[in-house]
Amino acid sequence: MAVKAVLKMGEKSLLERSREVEQFNTAELDQLVNDMWDTMEQENGAGLAAPQIGVNLRVVIFGCESNPRYPEAPAVPHTILINPTIETLSDAMEAGWEGCLSVPGMRGVVSRYTDIRYRGFDPQGNPVDRIASGFHARVVQHECDHLDGILYPSRIADMRYFGFCEELEANEYMSVQTNGSNPAETTPAV
Ligand code: NI
């Protein structure tokens, strides 16, 4: 186990563009990915980007089982994605609650493309090429934003829909955006 500290918003390196991975199938890359899984598991996250543990390389991981705690967050395959690119498959966007391990205890409503194709590589350098929609597509867009130094609060269009989980739970109007569901209870941090 190598659980790393997750950097929090305010840390300058979270705002940097991360570098491409140039060498695959290395012990260093395997170690990075293992540390990321350990850290994500420890923090109960559904995704993590390498810059969140202080490594500015274009590496993200994500995945979650379907969990009754997160009824609006269906299972996402456990995936390691290196040097990712995203192609949008339609102009359709959907507003939904998001959380981030680098912005602990908060949730905000962000619009994301509903249908995407993402491509990249696994740690051995094998290509990854998938079509994703809904929550799966949202997580990929959130994680890839980290690689360009973008944290989700800068994508919130209406700052009334940004707040601390505890307060959001106590304020019913906050739930309207997601059909009455509770943002803190339905949104895993990524
Ligand atoms: Ni995040």
Side-chain angles (χ1 to χ4, degrees):
M1 279 283 277
V3 174
K4 301 291 186 180
V6 176
L7 303 183
K8 306 290 190 290
M9 184 170 66
E11 185 79 41
K12 202 175 156 196
S13 67
L14 288 173
L15 304 178
E16 290 173 9
R17 185 187 185 277
S18 291
R19 303 181 309 278
E20 270 77 18
V21 169
E22 291 177 356
Q23 282 202 303
F24 293 90
N25 213 9
T26 67
E28 290 79 9
L29 186 56
D30 287 342
Q31 184 64 52
L32 169 63
V33 169
N34 286 338
D35 290 350
M36 289 172 69
W37 285 123
D38 289 345
T39 305
M40 187 181 109
E41 195 170 316
Q42 171 75 22
E43 302 285 337
N44 288 316
L48 190 74
Q52 291 181 277
I53 59 166
V55 177
N56 282 99
L57 286 172
R58 300 184 83 77
V59 179
V60 303
I61 62 169
F62 50 84
C64 59
E65 319 295 336
S66 62
N67 183 333
R69 234 187 108 201
Y70 305 131
E72 292 192 343
V76 175
H78 282 74
T79 303
I80 303 161
L81 191 60
I82 299 171
N83 298 347
T85 58
I86 294 175
E87 180 188 339
T88 56
L89 298 180
S90 80
D91 292 333
M93 297 185 88
E94 186 176 49
W97 289 97
E98 271 182 41
C100 180
L101 296 175
S102 295
V103 190
M106 302 189 81
R107 294 293 185 274
V109 169
V110 178
S111 279
R112 299 285 188 185
Y113 290 101
T114 56
D115 300 288
I116 64 167
R117 176 181 184 181
Y118 63 90
R119 281 177 275 196
F121 300 91
D122 74 9
Q124 284 72 48
N126 302 307
V128 176
D129 185 345
R130 283 212 193 108
I131 306 270
S133 61
F135 181 69
H136 184 176
R138 173 176 298 278
V139 169
V140 174
Q141 289 168 85
H142 176 114
E143 296 311 333
C144 290
D145 264 358
H146 276 295
L147 305 182
D148 291 328
I150 298 167
L151 300 173
Y152 83 83
S154 67
R155 293 209 183 269
I156 298 173
D158 184 343
M159 292 302 280
R160 291 177 301 168
Y161 296 101
F162 182 43
F164 293 97
C165 296
E166 287 175 11
E167 308 306 325
L168 292 169
E169 283 177 32
N171 288 277
E172 243 177 68
Y173 82 96
M174 287 292 181
S175 302
V176 172
Q177 284 265 344
T178 50
N179 300 323
S181 65
N182 184 308
E185 281 180 2
T186 56
T187 312
V190 294

PDB file of all heavy atoms in Angstrom, residues 4-36:
ATOM      1  N   LYS A   4      -1.085   8.023  -1.071  1.00  0.00           N
ATOM      2  CA  LYS A   4      -0.458   9.347  -1.158  1.00  0.00           C
ATOM      3  C   LYS A   4      -1.428  10.420  -0.663  1.00  0.00           C
ATOM      4  O   LYS A   4      -2.650  10.233  -0.692  1.00  0.00           O
ATOM      5  CB  LYS A   4      -0.064   9.644  -2.612  1.00  0.00           C
ATOM      6  CG  LYS A   4       0.896   8.639  -3.203  1.00  0.00           C
ATOM      7  CD  LYS A   4       2.260   8.737  -2.555  1.00  0.00           C
ATOM      8  CE  LYS A   4       3.258   7.824  -3.238  1.00  0.00           C
ATOM      9  NZ  LYS A   4       4.583   7.889  -2.629  1.00  0.00           N
ATOM     10  N   ALA A   5      -0.870  11.540  -0.263  1.00  0.00           N
ATOM     11  CA  ALA A   5      -1.710  12.680   0.102  1.00  0.00           C
ATOM     12  C   ALA A   5      -2.336  13.255  -1.161  1.00  0.00           C
ATOM     13  O   ALA A   5      -1.663  13.370  -2.194  1.00  0.00           O
ATOM     14  CB  ALA A   5      -0.872  13.737   0.800  1.00  0.00           C
ATOM     15  N   VAL A   6      -3.627  13.581  -1.095  1.00  0.00           N
ATOM     16  CA  VAL A   6      -4.303  14.196  -2.233  1.00  0.00           C
ATOM     17  C   VAL A   6      -4.174  15.716  -2.113  1.00  0.00           C
ATOM     18  O   VAL A   6      -4.537  16.291  -1.091  1.00  0.00           O
ATOM     19  CB  VAL A   6      -5.794  13.785  -2.278  1.00  0.00           C
ATOM     20  CG1 VAL A   6      -6.506  14.508  -3.413  1.00  0.00           C
ATOM     21  CG2 VAL A   6      -5.933  12.273  -2.450  1.00  0.00           C
ATOM     22  N   LEU A   7      -3.625  16.329  -3.150  1.00  0.00           N
ATOM     23  CA  LEU A   7      -3.453  17.781  -3.136  1.00  0.00           C
ATOM     24  C   LEU A   7      -4.819  18.457  -3.216  1.00  0.00           C
ATOM     25  O   LEU A   7      -5.719  17.977  -3.899  1.00  0.00           O
ATOM     26  CB  LEU A   7      -2.586  18.226  -4.315  1.00  0.00           C
ATOM     27  CG  LEU A   7      -1.189  17.590  -4.403  1.00  0.00           C
ATOM     28  CD1 LEU A   7      -0.417  18.192  -5.572  1.00  0.00           C
ATOM     29  CD2 LEU A   7      -0.423  17.767  -3.095  1.00  0.00           C
ATOM     30  N   LYS A   8      -4.938  19.575  -2.535  1.00  0.00           N
ATOM     31  CA  LYS A   8      -6.215  20.282  -2.470  1.00  0.00           C
ATOM     32  C   LYS A   8      -6.186  21.546  -3.328  1.00  0.00           C
ATOM     33  O   LYS A   8      -5.116  22.114  -3.574  1.00  0.00           O
ATOM     34  CB  LYS A   8      -6.514  20.684  -1.019  1.00  0.00           C
ATOM     35  CG  LYS A   8      -6.469  19.532  -0.014  1.00  0.00           C
ATOM     36  CD  LYS A   8      -7.621  18.573  -0.201  1.00  0.00           C
ATOM     37  CE  LYS A   8      -7.723  17.576   0.947  1.00  0.00           C
ATOM     38  NZ  LYS A   8      -6.617  16.605   0.955  1.00  0.00           N
ATOM     39  N   MET A   9      -7.377  21.950  -3.752  1.00  0.00           N
ATOM     40  CA  MET A   9      -7.509  23.171  -4.537  1.00  0.00           C
ATOM     41  C   MET A   9      -6.787  24.319  -3.832  1.00  0.00           C
ATOM     42  O   MET A   9      -6.952  24.511  -2.625  1.00  0.00           O
ATOM     43  CB  MET A   9      -8.995  23.516  -4.712  1.00  0.00           C
ATOM     44  CG  MET A   9      -9.238  24.716  -5.605  1.00  0.00           C
ATOM     45  SD  MET A   9     -10.976  24.945  -6.040  1.00  0.00           S
ATOM     46  CE  MET A   9     -11.693  25.348  -4.448  1.00  0.00           C
ATOM     47  N   GLY A  10      -6.002  25.069  -4.577  1.00  0.00           N
ATOM     48  CA  GLY A  10      -5.156  26.102  -3.997  1.00  0.00           C
ATOM     49  C   GLY A  10      -3.694  25.770  -4.235  1.00  0.00           C
ATOM     50  O   GLY A  10      -2.842  26.654  -4.278  1.00  0.00           O
ATOM     51  N   GLU A  11      -3.454  24.449  -4.408  1.00  0.00           N
ATOM     52  CA  GLU A  11      -2.098  23.986  -4.748  1.00  0.00           C
ATOM     53  C   GLU A  11      -1.815  24.356  -6.209  1.00  0.00           C
ATOM     54  O   GLU A  11      -2.585  24.000  -7.109  1.00  0.00           O
ATOM     55  CB  GLU A  11      -2.043  22.474  -4.560  1.00  0.00           C
ATOM     56  CG  GLU A  11      -0.695  21.855  -4.744  1.00  0.00           C
ATOM     57  CD  GLU A  11       0.186  22.029  -3.526  1.00  0.00           C
ATOM     58  OE1 GLU A  11      -0.310  21.897  -2.397  1.00  0.00           O
ATOM     59  OE2 GLU A  11       1.383  22.286  -3.729  1.00  0.00           O
ATOM     60  N   LYS A  12      -0.722  25.048  -6.416  1.00  0.00           N
ATOM     61  CA  LYS A  12      -0.431  25.584  -7.755  1.00  0.00           C
ATOM     62  C   LYS A  12      -0.316  24.492  -8.817  1.00  0.00           C
ATOM     63  O   LYS A  12      -0.759  24.663  -9.958  1.00  0.00           O
ATOM     64  CB  LYS A  12       0.875  26.381  -7.671  1.00  0.00           C
ATOM     65  CG  LYS A  12       1.047  27.404  -8.754  1.00  0.00           C
ATOM     66  CD  LYS A  12       2.319  28.213  -8.505  1.00  0.00           C
ATOM     67  CE  LYS A  12       2.850  28.806  -9.797  1.00  0.00           C
ATOM     68  NZ  LYS A  12       4.240  29.245  -9.660  1.00  0.00           N
ATOM     69  N   SER A  13       0.275  23.355  -8.453  1.00  0.00           N
ATOM     70  CA  SER A  13       0.535  22.327  -9.474  1.00  0.00           C
ATOM     71  C   SER A  13      -0.753  21.718 -10.031  1.00  0.00           C
ATOM     72  O   SER A  13      -0.739  21.132 -11.112  1.00  0.00           O
ATOM     73  CB  SER A  13       1.437  21.228  -8.904  1.00  0.00           C
ATOM     74  OG  SER A  13       0.770  20.509  -7.904  1.00  0.00           O
ATOM     75  N   LEU A  14      -1.874  21.868  -9.301  1.00  0.00           N
ATOM     76  CA  LEU A  14      -3.150  21.359  -9.819  1.00  0.00           C
ATOM     77  C   LEU A  14      -3.631  22.177 -11.010  1.00  0.00           C
ATOM     78  O   LEU A  14      -4.533  21.758 -11.732  1.00  0.00           O
ATOM     79  CB  LEU A  14      -4.234  21.379  -8.727  1.00  0.00           C
ATOM     80  CG  LEU A  14      -4.106  20.338  -7.622  1.00  0.00           C
ATOM     81  CD1 LEU A  14      -5.135  20.599  -6.539  1.00  0.00           C
ATOM     82  CD2 LEU A  14      -4.282  18.919  -8.182  1.00  0.00           C
ATOM     83  N   LEU A  15      -3.048  23.342 -11.212  1.00  0.00           N
ATOM     84  CA  LEU A  15      -3.467  24.237 -12.299  1.00  0.00           C
ATOM     85  C   LEU A  15      -2.560  24.133 -13.516  1.00  0.00           C
ATOM     86  O   LEU A  15      -2.738  24.851 -14.495  1.00  0.00           O
ATOM     87  CB  LEU A  15      -3.501  25.687 -11.797  1.00  0.00           C
ATOM     88  CG  LEU A  15      -4.383  25.937 -10.566  1.00  0.00           C
ATOM     89  CD1 LEU A  15      -4.294  27.391 -10.128  1.00  0.00           C
ATOM     90  CD2 LEU A  15      -5.834  25.562 -10.853  1.00  0.00           C
ATOM     91  N   GLU A  16      -1.581  23.216 -13.458  1.00  0.00           N
ATOM     92  CA  GLU A  16      -0.652  23.070 -14.574  1.00  0.00           C
ATOM     93  C   GLU A  16      -1.160  22.065 -15.601  1.00  0.00           C
ATOM     94  O   GLU A  16      -1.925  21.164 -15.266  1.00  0.00           O
ATOM     95  CB  GLU A  16       0.713  22.579 -14.060  1.00  0.00           C
ATOM     96  CG  GLU A  16       1.454  23.627 -13.253  1.00  0.00           C
ATOM     97  CD  GLU A  16       2.719  23.065 -12.629  1.00  0.00           C
ATOM     98  OE1 GLU A  16       3.107  21.921 -12.961  1.00  0.00           O
ATOM     99  OE2 GLU A  16       3.301  23.781 -11.797  1.00  0.00           O
ATOM    100  N   ARG A  17      -0.673  22.246 -16.847  1.00  0.00           N
ATOM    101  CA  ARG A  17      -0.927  21.205 -17.842  1.00  0.00           C
ATOM    102  C   ARG A  17       0.088  20.091 -17.622  1.00  0.00           C
ATOM    103  O   ARG A  17       1.291  20.336 -17.549  1.00  0.00           O
ATOM    104  CB  ARG A  17      -0.767  21.779 -19.257  1.00  0.00           C
ATOM    105  CG  ARG A  17      -1.138  20.743 -20.317  1.00  0.00           C
ATOM    106  CD  ARG A  17      -0.820  21.215 -21.734  1.00  0.00           C
ATOM    107  NE  ARG A  17      -1.301  20.230 -22.692  1.00  0.00           N
ATOM    108  CZ  ARG A  17      -0.642  19.121 -23.042  1.00  0.00           C
ATOM    109  NH1 ARG A  17       0.540  18.842 -22.506  1.00  0.00           N
ATOM    110  NH2 ARG A  17      -1.163  18.273 -23.916  1.00  0.00           N
ATOM    111  N   SER A  18      -0.411  18.860 -17.508  1.00  0.00           N
ATOM    112  CA  SER A  18       0.491  17.732 -17.266  1.00  0.00           C
ATOM    113  C   SER A  18       1.137  17.254 -18.565  1.00  0.00           C
ATOM    114  O   SER A  18       0.594  17.451 -19.649  1.00  0.00           O
ATOM    115  CB  SER A  18      -0.276  16.583 -16.604  1.00  0.00           C
ATOM    116  OG  SER A  18      -0.635  16.955 -15.292  1.00  0.00           O
ATOM    117  N   ARG A  19       2.283  16.611 -18.415  1.00  0.00           N
ATOM    118  CA  ARG A  19       3.061  16.138 -19.566  1.00  0.00           C
ATOM    119  C   ARG A  19       2.590  14.758 -20.030  1.00  0.00           C
ATOM    120  O   ARG A  19       2.135  13.942 -19.219  1.00  0.00           O
ATOM    121  CB  ARG A  19       4.546  16.015 -19.195  1.00  0.00           C
ATOM    122  CG  ARG A  19       5.185  17.280 -18.677  1.00  0.00           C
ATOM    123  CD  ARG A  19       6.664  17.033 -18.364  1.00  0.00           C
ATOM    124  NE  ARG A  19       6.890  15.855 -17.516  1.00  0.00           N
ATOM    125  CZ  ARG A  19       6.772  15.847 -16.190  1.00  0.00           C
ATOM    126  NH1 ARG A  19       6.412  16.941 -15.544  1.00  0.00           N
ATOM    127  NH2 ARG A  19       7.000  14.751 -15.502  1.00  0.00           N
ATOM    128  N   GLU A  20       2.780  14.501 -21.322  1.00  0.00           N
ATOM    129  CA  GLU A  20       2.493  13.179 -21.871  1.00  0.00           C
ATOM    130  C   GLU A  20       3.447  12.142 -21.266  1.00  0.00           C
ATOM    131  O   GLU A  20       4.622  12.444 -21.011  1.00  0.00           O
ATOM    132  CB  GLU A  20       2.690  13.168 -23.392  1.00  0.00           C
ATOM    133  CG  GLU A  20       1.453  13.513 -24.196  1.00  0.00           C
ATOM    134  CD  GLU A  20       1.156  15.010 -24.196  1.00  0.00           C
ATOM    135  OE1 GLU A  20       2.063  15.795 -23.867  1.00  0.00           O
ATOM    136  OE2 GLU A  20       0.001  15.380 -24.501  1.00  0.00           O
ATOM    137  N   VAL A  21       2.940  10.931 -21.096  1.00  0.00           N
ATOM    138  CA  VAL A  21       3.807   9.798 -20.760  1.00  0.00           C
ATOM    139  C   VAL A  21       4.524   9.382 -22.036  1.00  0.00           C
ATOM    140  O   VAL A  21       3.889   9.229 -23.089  1.00  0.00           O
ATOM    141  CB  VAL A  21       2.979   8.621 -20.205  1.00  0.00           C
ATOM    142  CG1 VAL A  21       3.815   7.358 -20.096  1.00  0.00           C
ATOM    143  CG2 VAL A  21       2.393   8.990 -18.844  1.00  0.00           C
ATOM    144  N   GLU A  22       5.833   9.217 -21.957  1.00  0.00           N
ATOM    145  CA  GLU A  22       6.591   8.876 -23.167  1.00  0.00           C
ATOM    146  C   GLU A  22       7.047   7.431 -23.174  1.00  0.00           C
ATOM    147  O   GLU A  22       7.285   6.853 -24.231  1.00  0.00           O
ATOM    148  CB  GLU A  22       7.794   9.823 -23.313  1.00  0.00           C
ATOM    149  CG  GLU A  22       7.325  11.243 -23.640  1.00  0.00           C
ATOM    150  CD  GLU A  22       8.448  12.254 -23.719  1.00  0.00           C
ATOM    151  OE1 GLU A  22       9.603  11.885 -23.439  1.00  0.00           O
ATOM    152  OE2 GLU A  22       8.151  13.416 -24.049  1.00  0.00           O
ATOM    153  N   GLN A  23       7.178   6.840 -21.984  1.00  0.00           N
ATOM    154  CA  GLN A  23       7.629   5.444 -21.928  1.00  0.00           C
ATOM    155  C   GLN A  23       6.606   4.595 -21.197  1.00  0.00           C
ATOM    156  O   GLN A  23       6.248   4.892 -20.047  1.00  0.00           O
ATOM    157  CB  GLN A  23       8.967   5.361 -21.207  1.00  0.00           C
ATOM    158  CG  GLN A  23      10.138   5.779 -22.089  1.00  0.00           C
ATOM    159  CD  GLN A  23      11.428   5.200 -21.569  1.00  0.00           C
ATOM    160  OE1 GLN A  23      11.777   5.442 -20.412  1.00  0.00           O
ATOM    161  NE2 GLN A  23      12.130   4.444 -22.393  1.00  0.00           N
ATOM    162  N   PHE A  24       6.167   3.545 -21.881  1.00  0.00           N
ATOM    163  CA  PHE A  24       5.205   2.629 -21.287  1.00  0.00           C
ATOM    164  C   PHE A  24       5.941   1.404 -20.748  1.00  0.00           C
ATOM    165  O   PHE A  24       7.118   1.204 -21.002  1.00  0.00           O
ATOM    166  CB  PHE A  24       4.176   2.213 -22.345  1.00  0.00           C
ATOM    167  CG  PHE A  24       3.303   3.356 -22.770  1.00  0.00           C
ATOM    168  CD1 PHE A  24       3.669   4.176 -23.833  1.00  0.00           C
ATOM    169  CD2 PHE A  24       2.133   3.633 -22.088  1.00  0.00           C
ATOM    170  CE1 PHE A  24       2.875   5.250 -24.213  1.00  0.00           C
ATOM    171  CE2 PHE A  24       1.327   4.703 -22.456  1.00  0.00           C
ATOM    172  CZ  PHE A  24       1.701   5.522 -23.516  1.00  0.00           C
ATOM    173  N   ASN A  25       5.164   0.619 -19.958  1.00  0.00           N
ATOM    174  CA  ASN A  25       5.702  -0.649 -19.480  1.00  0.00           C
ATOM    175  C   ASN A  25       6.978  -0.449 -18.649  1.00  0.00           C
ATOM    176  O   ASN A  25       7.962  -1.174 -18.832  1.00  0.00           O
ATOM    177  CB  ASN A  25       5.985  -1.555 -20.695  1.00  0.00           C
ATOM    178  CG  ASN A  25       5.767  -3.012 -20.342  1.00  0.00           C
ATOM    179  OD1 ASN A  25       5.251  -3.322 -19.269  1.00  0.00           O
ATOM    180  ND2 ASN A  25       6.168  -3.903 -21.221  1.00  0.00           N
ATOM    181  N   THR A  26       6.934   0.514 -17.748  1.00  0.00           N
ATOM    182  CA  THR A  26       8.077   0.752 -16.873  1.00  0.00           C
ATOM    183  C   THR A  26       7.656   0.551 -15.415  1.00  0.00           C
ATOM    184  O   THR A  26       6.474   0.678 -15.076  1.00  0.00           O
ATOM    185  CB  THR A  26       8.622   2.192 -17.013  1.00  0.00           C
ATOM    186  OG1 THR A  26       7.633   3.114 -16.508  1.00  0.00           O
ATOM    187  CG2 THR A  26       8.957   2.534 -18.457  1.00  0.00           C
ATOM    188  N   ALA A  27       8.622   0.264 -14.577  1.00  0.00           N
ATOM    189  CA  ALA A  27       8.343   0.077 -13.151  1.00  0.00           C
ATOM    190  C   ALA A  27       7.813   1.369 -12.539  1.00  0.00           C
ATOM    191  O   ALA A  27       6.929   1.339 -11.675  1.00  0.00           O
ATOM    192  CB  ALA A  27       9.623  -0.359 -12.432  1.00  0.00           C
ATOM    193  N   GLU A  28       8.319   2.510 -12.998  1.00  0.00           N
ATOM    194  CA  GLU A  28       7.876   3.801 -12.453  1.00  0.00           C
ATOM    195  C   GLU A  28       6.398   4.035 -12.760  1.00  0.00           C
ATOM    196  O   GLU A  28       5.645   4.500 -11.893  1.00  0.00           O
ATOM    197  CB  GLU A  28       8.705   4.949 -13.056  1.00  0.00           C
ATOM    198  CG  GLU A  28      10.153   5.013 -12.598  1.00  0.00           C
ATOM    199  CD  GLU A  28      11.062   4.003 -13.304  1.00  0.00           C
ATOM    200  OE1 GLU A  28      10.608   3.345 -14.281  1.00  0.00           O
ATOM    201  OE2 GLU A  28      12.217   3.853 -12.878  1.00  0.00           O
ATOM    202  N   LEU A  29       6.006   3.718 -13.981  1.00  0.00           N
ATOM    203  CA  LEU A  29       4.608   3.926 -14.365  1.00  0.00           C
ATOM    204  C   LEU A  29       3.700   2.980 -13.582  1.00  0.00           C
ATOM    205  O   LEU A  29       2.644   3.387 -13.072  1.00  0.00           O
ATOM    206  CB  LEU A  29       4.453   3.729 -15.879  1.00  0.00           C
ATOM    207  CG  LEU A  29       3.087   4.048 -16.488  1.00  0.00           C
ATOM    208  CD1 LEU A  29       2.648   5.471 -16.168  1.00  0.00           C
ATOM    209  CD2 LEU A  29       3.127   3.836 -18.002  1.00  0.00           C
ATOM    210  N   ASP A  30       4.114   1.717 -13.445  1.00  0.00           N
ATOM    211  CA  ASP A  30       3.328   0.746 -12.672  1.00  0.00           C
ATOM    212  C   ASP A  30       3.180   1.212 -11.219  1.00  0.00           C
ATOM    213  O   ASP A  30       2.114   1.098 -10.616  1.00  0.00           O
ATOM    214  CB  ASP A  30       3.988  -0.635 -12.705  1.00  0.00           C
ATOM    215  CG  ASP A  30       3.825  -1.310 -14.067  1.00  0.00           C
ATOM    216  OD1 ASP A  30       2.948  -0.885 -14.835  1.00  0.00           O
ATOM    217  OD2 ASP A  30       4.581  -2.253 -14.350  1.00  0.00           O
ATOM    218  N   GLN A  31       4.275   1.733 -10.664  1.00  0.00           N
ATOM    219  CA  GLN A  31       4.238   2.208  -9.280  1.00  0.00           C
ATOM    220  C   GLN A  31       3.279   3.387  -9.127  1.00  0.00           C
ATOM    221  O   GLN A  31       2.491   3.449  -8.178  1.00  0.00           O
ATOM    222  CB  GLN A  31       5.656   2.637  -8.841  1.00  0.00           C
ATOM    223  CG  GLN A  31       5.751   3.059  -7.383  1.00  0.00           C
ATOM    224  CD  GLN A  31       5.435   1.911  -6.437  1.00  0.00           C
ATOM    225  OE1 GLN A  31       6.019   0.835  -6.549  1.00  0.00           O
ATOM    226  NE2 GLN A  31       4.483   2.121  -5.536  1.00  0.00           N
ATOM    227  N   LEU A  32       3.334   4.306 -10.086  1.00  0.00           N
ATOM    228  CA  LEU A  32       2.425   5.460 -10.050  1.00  0.00           C
ATOM    229  C   LEU A  32       0.971   4.995 -10.053  1.00  0.00           C
ATOM    230  O   LEU A  32       0.152   5.445  -9.244  1.00  0.00           O
ATOM    231  CB  LEU A  32       2.701   6.385 -11.249  1.00  0.00           C
ATOM    232  CG  LEU A  32       1.666   7.489 -11.487  1.00  0.00           C
ATOM    233  CD1 LEU A  32       1.616   8.471 -10.313  1.00  0.00           C
ATOM    234  CD2 LEU A  32       1.962   8.230 -12.798  1.00  0.00           C
ATOM    235  N   VAL A  33       0.659   4.075 -10.984  1.00  0.00           N
ATOM    236  CA  VAL A  33      -0.721   3.610 -11.107  1.00  0.00           C
ATOM    237  C   VAL A  33      -1.153   2.870  -9.833  1.00  0.00           C
ATOM    238  O   VAL A  33      -2.270   3.066  -9.342  1.00  0.00           O
ATOM    239  CB  VAL A  33      -0.877   2.720 -12.365  1.00  0.00           C
ATOM    240  CG1 VAL A  33      -2.217   2.013 -12.373  1.00  0.00           C
ATOM    241  CG2 VAL A  33      -0.712   3.568 -13.628  1.00  0.00           C
ATOM    242  N   ASN A  34      -0.271   2.060  -9.268  1.00  0.00           N
ATOM    243  CA  ASN A  34      -0.604   1.361  -8.016  1.00  0.00           C
ATOM    244  C   ASN A  34      -0.868   2.348  -6.890  1.00  0.00           C
ATOM    245  O   ASN A  34      -1.820   2.177  -6.112  1.00  0.00           O
ATOM    246  CB  ASN A  34       0.526   0.407  -7.614  1.00  0.00           C
ATOM    247  CG  ASN A  34       0.551  -0.838  -8.485  1.00  0.00           C
ATOM    248  OD1 ASN A  34      -0.463  -1.199  -9.089  1.00  0.00           O
ATOM    249  ND2 ASN A  34       1.702  -1.481  -8.570  1.00  0.00           N
ATOM    250  N   ASP A  35      -0.040   3.363  -6.787  1.00  0.00           N
ATOM    251  CA  ASP A  35      -0.247   4.392  -5.758  1.00  0.00           C
ATOM    252  C   ASP A  35      -1.591   5.095  -5.963  1.00  0.00           C
ATOM    253  O   ASP A  35      -2.294   5.416  -4.996  1.00  0.00           O
ATOM    254  CB  ASP A  35       0.872   5.442  -5.796  1.00  0.00           C
ATOM    255  CG  ASP A  35       2.204   4.888  -5.306  1.00  0.00           C
ATOM    256  OD1 ASP A  35       2.234   3.771  -4.765  1.00  0.00           O
ATOM    257  OD2 ASP A  35       3.228   5.591  -5.486  1.00  0.00           O
ATOM    258  N   MET A  36      -1.929   5.332  -7.223  1.00  0.00           N
ATOM    259  CA  MET A  36      -3.202   6.005  -7.509  1.00  0.00           C
ATOM    260  C   MET A  36      -4.383   5.148  -7.095  1.00  0.00           C
ATOM    261  O   MET A  36      -5.332   5.632  -6.479  1.00  0.00           O
ATOM    262  CB  MET A  36      -3.278   6.364  -9.004  1.00  0.00           C
ATOM    263  CG  MET A  36      -2.323   7.509  -9.383  1.00  0.00           C
ATOM    264  SD  MET A  36      -2.236   7.802 -11.164  1.00  0.00           S
ATOM    265  CE  MET A  36      -3.882   8.469 -11.510  1.00  0.00           C
TER     266      MET A  36
END
